[in-house]
Amino acid sequence: MKHGRQHDESRRGDAATEDYCAVTRDIRVSVRPFYLAEQSRPDERQFVWAYRVRIENHGTDEVRLLRRTWHITDGAGMTQHVEGDGVLGEQPQLEPGTAFEYTSGTPLPTPSGFMTGAYHMVSIASGEPFDVRIPAFSLDSPHQIGMIH
């Protein structure tokens, strides 16, 4: 389920149709969540989502993603904080005009929830650290009663 790749911005694919986007310092983060019915067990209170993230460098500085912080909130309002180095074991470096994509996932004990967070990055030229906002996005399943946004 997890994979990552870096490619030239000219091969954007369908990034323009992403559901959730945020831009910080010319770094655009797009996220599209997917409910995974085949991995979920509603009778056992286990609901699973995958989410595809695309990080695009629209700036003039080369940057590196060093760490990530996630806040994952389930439908009961319980929030889990997850921190770690890079993404998928990598610390991708993005030159101007390039992008990095990866897919990961999360389980929840409720049929809905949401996620948000930040990527902690550094400018290669100046060594200046900065945070890039990951937009809040809904985790919605067909088993929920109403939607959380």
Side-chain angles (χ1 to χ4, degrees):
M1 173 170 57
K2 297 181 179 184
H3 71 280
R5 70 179 186 269
Q6 186 167 348
H7 51 81
D8 202 306
E9 184 56 28
S10 61
R11 295 178 5 207
R12 269 186 81 157
D14 63 347
T17 63
E18 296 294 0
D19 295 335
Y20 304 91
C21 300
V23 178
T24 308
R25 287 182 55 157
D26 296 322
I27 306 297
R28 181 176 191 262
V29 177
S30 305
V31 183
R32 178 175 289 174
F34 302 90
Y35 178 67
L36 299 177
E38 68 282 357
Q39 293 184 27
S40 297
R41 307 270 181 281
D43 294 345
E44 299 170 21
R45 298 183 48 79
Q46 181 179 345
F47 303 87
V48 182
W49 287 265
Y51 51 89
R52 188 181 78 226
V53 178
R54 181 177 174 87
I55 305 165
E56 303 172 25
N57 184 353
H58 291 283
T60 57
D61 293 338
E62 187 171 1
V63 299
R64 173 172 287 166
L65 190 161
L66 300 175
R67 297 182 342 274
R68 71 192 181 288
T69 300
W70 285 106
H71 307 286
I72 307 165
T73 304
D74 68 23
M78 299 297 296
T79 300
Q80 179 183 164
H81 302 279
V82 178
E83 295 185 26
D85 290 335
V87 291
L88 303 181
E90 296 182 51
Q91 292 183 324
Q93 195 159 309
L94 287 89
E95 296 177 9
T98 64
F100 181 81
E101 286 184 3
Y102 72 95
T103 300
S104 191
T106 191
L108 288 180
T110 60
S112 64
F114 64 93
M115 292 177 64
T116 189
Y119 293 122
H120 311 289
M121 304 185 97
V122 64
S123 167
I124 299 301
S126 70
E128 178 191 1
F130 63 98
D131 290 346
V132 172
R133 186 171 72 88
I134 302 169
F137 58 95
S138 288
L139 301 171
D140 301 319
S141 81
H143 303 282
Q144 67 198 34
I145 305 169
M147 296 174 66
I148 294 179
H149 291 286

